Amino acid sequence: MLDTPLVAPSEYFNRTDAFSLQRAVGLALAYWLGSVAVAILWRVTGDFDLAPVTVSFVLQTLEATLLYWVVPTVVLYGLGYVIGASGEPADALTLAAWGLVPLLAGQVVSNLLLYALVLLEADSTGSPAGTDIWLFVPLTLLACGWAAYIWRGGLQADFDLDRSTATATALLAAAICAGLLLVPILPSVA
């Protein structure tokens, strides 16, 4: 089995070097730069009427990245603290950062599928809002579920939570994360 938190989080987070703050910062930077790259590719490769990538957009993407990283950290550590878990805040920050990997994967896959639909002229708007929401929502939920799987493994290994408590905590963090990702796009559907 692969020794990675993406596939085997319980085994990975039992390692002594699993909770590296430098790695967590690297994961957050990768998510941010990946999100900016996806936006740039949309603008460069299509004839879509999209706003240009500006410094303001790049900073908003950084703000969103920090939000998707810090909110799960607060939920994971806060709930763990309330129920007497043994993890440290830096460990929760690292654990939450690993959840960014599935979120970036979900973003890349949904944008690639959406782009393929646009190329096939299945949707002439070139926007994830509207008819293509059926594509974005399930992939977002799947990515958040994958993040919950990672978080549960870390909570069990480092925070000494039993499986059911770790699962409930990770699912709550994933539900909040899904809300953060989906709420901005749902008003555009109505």
Side-chain angles (χ1 to χ4, degrees), residues 42 46-48 112-127 132:
W42 264 109
D47 339 329
F48 313 117
L112 286 173
L113 291 174
L114 184 60
Y115 190 72
L117 288 174
V118 169
L119 287 177
L120 295 172
E121 297 180 308
D123 175 21
S124 59
T125 64
S127 169
D132 296 323

Side-chain angles (χ1 to χ4, degrees), residues 99-189:
L100 292 172
V101 175
L103 298 183
L104 181 59
Q107 183 180 18
V108 168
V109 169
S110 64
N111 277 283
L112 286 173
L113 291 174
L114 184 60
Y115 190 72
L117 288 174
V118 169
L119 287 177
L120 295 172
E121 297 180 308
D123 175 21
S124 59
T125 64
S127 169
T131 58
D132 296 323
I133 200 73
W134 61 268
L135 180 69
F136 184 71
V137 171
L139 286 172
T140 298
L141 294 175
L142 184 62
C144 290
W146 185 9
Y149 171 70
I150 293 168
W151 294 334
R152 183 191 71 190
L155 289 169
Q156 283 182 270
D158 190 58
F159 288 69
D160 297 325
L161 295 178
D162 62 78
R163 184 181 177 100
S164 62
T165 306
T167 300
T169 304
L171 286 175
L172 178 61
I176 291 170
C177 192
L180 289 172
L181 289 165
L182 294 176
V183 166
I185 65 159
L186 293 180
S188 64
V189 176

